[in-house]
Amino acid sequence: MTEQVFDAVIIGSGPGGYVCAIRCAQLGMKTAIVEKSPCLGGTCLNVGCIPSKALLHSTELFHEAKHGEAHGLVFDNLRPDLGKLMERKEQVVNQLRKGVETLVSKRKITIFHGTGTFDSPTLLRIESGESVQKIEGRNFVIATGSVPTFLPFMQPDGERILTSTEALSLPEIPSSLLVVGAGAIGLELGSVWARLGTKVTFVEFLPTIAAGSDKDISRMAERIFKKQGMAFHTSTKVTGYEVVGNMVKLTAEKKGKQLELEAEKVLLSVGRKPFTEGLGLENIDLTTDERGRIPVSQFQTSIPGIYAIGDVIEGPMLAHKAEEDGVAVAELIAGRKPHVQYDRVPSVIYTDPEIASVGMTEELAEAAGKKFKVGTFPLLANGRAIAQASTNGMAKVIADAETDEILGASMIARGASEIIGSVVAHMEYGGSAEDLAGTIHAHPTISESFKEAALAVDKKAIHLL
Ligand code: FAD
Ligand code: NAI
């Protein structure tokens, strides 16, 4: 049994963990990563952000080509080759896995493959099959991420009832798919399969889809996605299911009425929960909160020298948030004073059009008792959107009524994921709607609709009557 001592031991190699390890190494610490999976990269790289975006891109190309006639593009015998599509997705994931491995190994970070369990606040046991190793750490960072949640009466079986992991790798295009939960995972993976020809029906507990989005945006999203052929049952609660032959029969309740729905597969996408199983938190008297998260104050747990970051703590369960946490905690260990502002973490749902937002929605601003002004701009009046036939969408800016400071912004538009960053930057520097309105945007771009929405905050939009 070997016992090595490290300045920083990072448990989990997702976007939180590996980024934290790299920053620790940059800051001169002797660093180790402990990862229970054979591959580095965590949920995001292996079964999350990256494979889903690869599939979204391929299927968007297919969908565009299918509707190419208006552009004078006619494809004969156009059809998806699912095998190749999945192969490309795997190549993308493999390329990035190699990239992470190189980044980590070149910085002389030691990688231990195995499950990390605390024996004491300074000693971690690493088990992989028969092999057991123990390492000592002056500091530990828990970056063990999250796993899907299920319904008490509905557990995934990997065959008919799927989680996102199986829905990213189906060997055949299902004829029909019921998606329980119209949040980020449901909308993205529902879009993938709908574009490939699957009849996709959503069952969503809340009155609107894309939970947490601005109401104007989520209503518009639902209208657009319905036109794309997807069906939605909102304000609907799933009450039970049974597998009958090759089909799943689902019962649900919508405003007091019983519904019966049927499909070949069901995707359960009702949220994710922090993952701490096997960490041995009980051995170090570290308890989780009612939502399973590790309580922290500035990433510091109640045990000195043990930190936690990413999906396993408070804040949005997003890869870029986990990365920021990772950098911040490395700097904290090195004695610096980092700062992560969770209310400026952008979020994107990568449907077509994409739904991107940062800061407060109108509903949140109201709930917070803020006095605010709103500016909106429809893509129907945006030249680039008309040129590329993507006029479905809008931009919305919310500014403080007195100071004009931008409180939040949302956009539903093709390419919104790349555009939202400019508003995040304005907010980061305390920018006002007037600042955004006065920023020169290239023409013709979809991003101009944010400038126009910012102008509209003071009723000064140019391209809108
Ligand atoms: P994870 O990435 O979950 O990594 C945790 C790692 O810890 C895992 O590798 C796990 O094996 C390891 N581990 C756990 N316990 C132990 C242990 N005891 N010992 C050793 N290792 C352990 N977010 C976005 O921002 N953008 C997106 O587009 C996006 N798309 C997504 C799509 C899907 C389908 C899913 C499921 C998620 C998506 N997310 C997206 C969310 C994103 O994946 C997570 O927010 C992110 O991965 C969290 O990073 P993390 O480092 O906290 O944890
Ligand atoms: P989610 O929280 O985004 O959406 C879950 C949806 O399920 C909600 O709308 C909720 O109202 C609904 N729901 C819950 N219980 C239900 C029930 N019994 N019946 C019907 N509907 C029910 O969770 P999701 O989509 O599973 O994703 C998990 C997390 O992963 C996200 O919150 C996000 O943090 C991350 N993610 C991020 C992505 C991105 O950034 N593009 C993509 C995919 C995931």
Side-chain angles (χ1 to χ4, degrees):
M1 193 178 294
T2 52
E3 264 189 46
Q4 300 177 56
V5 187
F6 292 90
D7 296 318
V9 176
I10 323 296
I11 312 168
S13 70
Y18 87 77
V19 168
C20 179
I22 290 175
R23 190 70 190 119
C24 285
Q26 282 176 343
L27 289 163
M29 292 178 228
K30 186 180 174 197
T31 307
I33 288 180
V34 181
E35 171 55 62
K36 70 181 169 71
S37 153
C39 306
L40 299 184
T43 305
C44 179
L45 174 46
N46 296 292
V47 288
C49 327
I50 298 300
S52 58
K53 266 77 254 176
L55 291 184
L56 279 158
H57 184 72
S58 301
T59 55
E60 201 174 315
L61 284 179
F62 176 58
H63 186 81
E64 282 286 288
K66 238 167 71 177
H67 296 87
E69 273 174 34
H71 302 270
L73 301 171
V74 183
F75 297 88
D76 291 327
N77 202 20
L78 181 73
R79 65 199 186 287
D81 178 340
L82 189 64
K84 278 228 172 92
L85 210 132
M86 291 292 173
E87 207 179 290
R88 179 187 171 272
K89 175 208 69 175
E90 284 306 316
Q91 279 166 3
V92 169
V93 171
N94 279 331
Q95 184 180 335
L96 284 163
R97 267 186 203 140
K98 284 200 188 96
V100 172
E101 278 160 21
T102 308
L103 287 174
V104 165
S105 57
K106 291 272 183 220
R107 285 182 169 96
K108 312 231 176 322
I109 295 164
T110 309
I111 302 165
F112 294 94
H113 282 288
T115 300
T117 307
F118 284 104
D119 272 350
S120 80
T122 53
L123 197 65
L124 193 79
R125 183 163 27 100
I126 305 166
E127 283 184 293
S128 172
E130 300 289 289
S131 123
V132 181
Q133 298 180 72
K134 292 197 179 189
I135 57 171
E136 258 184 72
R138 293 191 180 92
N139 298 281
F140 286 93
V141 181
I142 302 173
T144 48
S146 62
V147 288
T149 49
F150 312 125
L151 300 179
F153 55 85
M154 196 183 216
Q155 308 286 315
D157 60 11
E159 185 57 33
R160 299 269 152 216
I161 313 289
L162 315 172
T163 68
S164 52
T165 301
E166 293 87 41
L168 284 167
S169 292
L170 292 179
E172 278 166 27
I173 301 170
S175 59
S176 50
L177 175 71
L178 278 169
V179 181
V180 183
I185 292 181
L187 290 171
E188 289 186 2
L189 294 181
S191 294
V192 162
W193 293 107
R195 290 169 193 167
L196 291 173
T198 303
K199 180 175 175 280
V200 176
T201 306
F202 287 85
V203 182
E204 167 56 56
F205 182 73
L206 295 174
T208 52
I209 67 168
S213 301
D214 187 282
K215 291 277 185 299
D216 286 343
I217 304 272
S218 56
R219 277 191 212 109
M220 182 178 265
E222 190 176 336
R223 278 201 304 276
I224 297 169
F225 299 151
K226 275 181 178 161
K227 278 196 198 146
Q228 293 172 2
M230 292 179 266
F232 292 88
H233 294 284
T234 48
S235 304
T236 305
K237 195 173 133 192
V238 178
T239 49
Y241 83 100
E242 65 175 325
V243 177
V244 183
N246 289 337
M247 303 297 276
V248 187
K249 289 192 172 185
L250 205 112
T251 50
E253 200 183 298
K254 185 174 190 169
K255 295 175 185 156
K257 283 192 192 144
Q258 298 301 313
L259 274 182
E260 281 195 10
L261 301 159
E262 195 183 56
E264 199 184 321
K265 309 262 182 203
V266 173
L267 167 60
L268 249 185
S269 47
V270 292
R272 292 177 62 85
K273 60 177 181 192
F275 181 75
T276 54
E277 255 176 62
L279 259 180
L281 295 185
E282 61 288 356
N283 300 337
I284 53 170
D285 287 333
L286 194 56
T287 44
T288 52
D289 68 11
E290 69 294 346
R291 291 167 66 178
R293 301 177 299 194
I294 297 180
V296 289
S297 166
Q298 271 274 38
F299 311 110
Q300 170 72 66
T301 68
S302 55
I303 317 283
I306 301 187
Y307 303 82
I309 58 170
D311 279 11
V312 83
I313 63 163
E314 63 185 335
M317 286 181 160
L318 294 171
H320 41 287
K321 178 267 188 186
E323 288 186 29
E324 288 306 311
D325 286 359
V327 170
V329 94
E331 301 203 342
L332 203 65
I333 294 171
R336 301 190 179 185
K337 291 195 168 62
H339 178 64
V340 181
Q341 191 92 9
Y342 287 159
D343 54 9
R344 287 180 211 142
V345 177
S347 85
V348 178
I349 302 180
Y350 295 79
T351 41
D352 182 25
E354 293 173 338
I355 302 169
S357 60
V358 57
M360 288 186 167
T361 58
E362 199 173 330
E363 296 70 35
L364 278 180
E366 255 164 32
K370 294 267 181 199
K371 287 197 174 130
F372 59 90
K373 308 175 279 184
V374 177
T376 58
F377 190 80
L379 290 197
L380 270 170
N382 175 281
R384 182 70 182 280
I386 293 171
Q388 63 185 36
S390 59
T391 51
N392 279 325
M394 67 183 285
K396 183 165 180 174
V397 173
I398 296 163
D400 188 285
E402 278 153 29
T403 64
D404 198 40
E405 185 182 350
I406 301 172
L407 299 174
S410 305
M411 178 181 257
I412 173 165
R414 185 165 287 176
S417 58
E418 303 289 352
I419 299 170
I420 195 76
S422 67
V423 186
V424 180
H426 271 280
M427 289 178 70
E428 196 59 38
Y429 299 118
S432 62
E434 192 180 9
D435 292 330
L436 180 56
T439 303
I440 301 174
H441 289 65
H443 176 76
T445 57
I446 303 272
S447 69
E448 284 172 290
S449 52
F450 256 142
K451 177 186 169 81
E452 289 275 8
L455 282 166
V457 162
D458 285 316
K459 303 192 172 33
K460 294 188 298 198
I462 301 288
H463 294 91
L464 199 63
L465 291 173

Short mmCIF file of all heavy atoms in Angstrom, two decimals, residues 100 103 118 141 165 187 214 227 269 279 299 305 319 324 335 344 381 387 391 434:
data_model
loop_
_atom_site.label_atom_id
_atom_site.label_comp_id
_atom_site.label_asym_id
_atom_site.label_seq_id
_atom_site.Cartn_x
_atom_site.Cartn_y
_atom_site.Cartn_z
N VAL A 100 -8.24 16.71 -22.48
CA VAL A 100 -8.20 16.89 -21.02
C VAL A 100 -7.05 16.08 -20.43
O VAL A 100 -6.29 16.58 -19.58
CB VAL A 100 -9.56 16.49 -20.37
CG1 VAL A 100 -9.46 16.48 -18.85
CG2 VAL A 100 -10.67 17.42 -20.82
N LEU A 103 -3.84 17.96 -21.10
CA LEU A 103 -3.74 19.16 -20.26
C LEU A 103 -3.33 18.82 -18.83
O LEU A 103 -2.49 19.47 -18.22
CB LEU A 103 -5.09 19.89 -20.21
CG LEU A 103 -5.51 20.65 -21.48
CD1 LEU A 103 -6.93 21.18 -21.31
CD2 LEU A 103 -4.55 21.81 -21.76
N PHE A 118 -13.25 9.02 2.11
CA PHE A 118 -12.50 9.60 3.24
C PHE A 118 -12.40 8.59 4.38
O PHE A 118 -13.41 8.06 4.83
CB PHE A 118 -13.20 10.86 3.78
CG PHE A 118 -13.01 12.06 2.91
CD1 PHE A 118 -14.02 12.51 2.07
CD2 PHE A 118 -11.80 12.76 2.93
CE1 PHE A 118 -13.84 13.63 1.28
CE2 PHE A 118 -11.60 13.87 2.14
CZ PHE A 118 -12.62 14.31 1.31
N VAL A 141 -10.59 18.71 -2.43
CA VAL A 141 -11.71 19.41 -3.10
C VAL A 141 -12.68 18.34 -3.59
O VAL A 141 -12.33 17.50 -4.43
CB VAL A 141 -11.21 20.27 -4.28
CG1 VAL A 141 -12.40 21.00 -4.92
CG2 VAL A 141 -10.15 21.27 -3.82
N THR A 165 -28.41 9.60 -20.35
CA THR A 165 -27.26 8.81 -20.82
C THR A 165 -27.68 7.84 -21.93
O THR A 165 -27.05 7.78 -22.98
CB THR A 165 -26.63 8.05 -19.64
OG1 THR A 165 -26.21 9.04 -18.69
CG2 THR A 165 -25.42 7.23 -20.06
N LEU A 187 -35.73 19.21 -23.41
CA LEU A 187 -35.88 20.00 -24.64
C LEU A 187 -34.75 19.72 -25.63
O LEU A 187 -34.97 19.62 -26.83
CB LEU A 187 -35.96 21.49 -24.31
CG LEU A 187 -37.25 21.91 -23.61
CD1 LEU A 187 -37.16 23.35 -23.11
CD2 LEU A 187 -38.47 21.77 -24.53
N ASP A 214 -37.60 33.38 -18.67
CA ASP A 214 -38.57 34.47 -18.72
C ASP A 214 -39.86 33.94 -19.37
O ASP A 214 -39.80 33.20 -20.35
CB ASP A 214 -37.96 35.59 -19.58
CG ASP A 214 -38.81 36.83 -19.54
OD1 ASP A 214 -39.84 36.87 -20.25
OD2 ASP A 214 -38.44 37.75 -18.81
N LYS A 227 -44.50 24.09 -33.58
CA LYS A 227 -44.44 24.16 -35.06
C LYS A 227 -43.43 23.17 -35.61
O LYS A 227 -43.53 22.73 -36.76
CB LYS A 227 -44.08 25.58 -35.51
CG LYS A 227 -45.25 26.52 -35.53
CD LYS A 227 -44.91 27.77 -36.33
CE LYS A 227 -45.88 28.88 -36.00
NZ LYS A 227 -45.25 30.19 -36.02
N SER A 269 -36.53 13.16 -17.50
CA SER A 269 -35.61 14.31 -17.34
C SER A 269 -36.25 15.30 -16.39
O SER A 269 -36.69 16.37 -16.79
CB SER A 269 -35.31 14.93 -18.70
OG SER A 269 -36.50 15.11 -19.45
N LEU A 279 -18.42 8.47 -0.74
CA LEU A 279 -17.35 9.42 -0.37
C LEU A 279 -16.90 9.25 1.08
O LEU A 279 -15.86 9.77 1.47
CB LEU A 279 -17.86 10.85 -0.52
CG LEU A 279 -17.48 11.65 -1.76
CD1 LEU A 279 -18.10 13.03 -1.68
CD2 LEU A 279 -15.96 11.77 -1.90
N PHE A 299 -16.93 27.95 -0.60
CA PHE A 299 -16.40 26.64 -1.01
C PHE A 299 -15.82 25.83 0.15
O PHE A 299 -15.46 24.67 -0.01
CB PHE A 299 -15.35 26.77 -2.12
CG PHE A 299 -15.80 27.65 -3.25
CD1 PHE A 299 -15.24 28.90 -3.46
CD2 PHE A 299 -16.83 27.23 -4.07
CE1 PHE A 299 -15.70 29.72 -4.49
CE2 PHE A 299 -17.29 28.04 -5.11
CZ PHE A 299 -16.71 29.28 -5.31
N GLY A 305 -9.82 22.55 5.50
CA GLY A 305 -9.01 21.87 4.49
C GLY A 305 -9.82 21.03 3.51
O GLY A 305 -9.27 20.46 2.58
N ALA A 319 -21.82 23.51 -16.22
CA ALA A 319 -20.39 23.22 -16.36
C ALA A 319 -19.53 24.46 -16.13
O ALA A 319 -18.51 24.40 -15.45
CB ALA A 319 -20.13 22.64 -17.73
N GLU A 324 -15.74 27.78 -12.84
CA GLU A 324 -15.41 29.01 -12.08
C GLU A 324 -15.16 28.68 -10.62
O GLU A 324 -14.25 29.21 -9.98
CB GLU A 324 -16.54 30.04 -12.19
CG GLU A 324 -16.66 30.71 -13.54
CD GLU A 324 -15.36 31.36 -14.01
OE1 GLU A 324 -14.73 32.11 -13.25
OE2 GLU A 324 -14.99 31.11 -15.17
N GLY A 335 -4.26 31.09 -0.98
CA GLY A 335 -4.24 32.28 -0.13
C GLY A 335 -4.72 33.54 -0.83
O GLY A 335 -4.59 34.64 -0.31
N ARG A 344 -24.63 36.09 -12.06
CA ARG A 344 -24.21 36.45 -13.42
C ARG A 344 -23.74 35.22 -14.21
O ARG A 344 -22.96 35.34 -15.14
CB ARG A 344 -23.11 37.49 -13.38
CG ARG A 344 -23.65 38.83 -12.98
CD ARG A 344 -22.56 39.87 -12.94
NE ARG A 344 -22.89 40.84 -11.92
CZ ARG A 344 -22.00 41.41 -11.13
NH1 ARG A 344 -20.73 41.09 -11.23
NH2 ARG A 344 -22.39 42.30 -10.24
N ALA A 381 -37.89 41.74 -36.95
CA ALA A 381 -37.43 43.05 -37.44
C ALA A 381 -35.91 43.10 -37.55
O ALA A 381 -35.33 44.18 -37.65
CB ALA A 381 -37.94 44.14 -36.49
N ALA A 387 -32.57 37.31 -43.36
CA ALA A 387 -31.68 36.76 -44.40
C ALA A 387 -31.45 35.27 -44.21
O ALA A 387 -31.34 34.52 -45.18
CB ALA A 387 -30.35 37.50 -44.39
N THR A 391 -36.40 34.00 -38.12
CA THR A 391 -37.04 35.15 -37.46
C THR A 391 -37.83 34.75 -36.22
O THR A 391 -38.44 35.61 -35.58
CB THR A 391 -37.99 35.86 -38.44
OG1 THR A 391 -38.85 34.87 -39.02
CG2 THR A 391 -37.23 36.58 -39.53
N GLU A 434 -28.27 51.77 -21.21
CA GLU A 434 -27.74 52.80 -22.11
C GLU A 434 -26.34 52.40 -22.65
O GLU A 434 -26.03 52.62 -23.82
CB GLU A 434 -27.66 54.14 -21.37
CG GLU A 434 -27.40 55.31 -22.31
CD GLU A 434 -27.32 56.65 -21.58
OE1 GLU A 434 -27.31 56.66 -20.33
OE2 GLU A 434 -27.26 57.67 -22.27
#
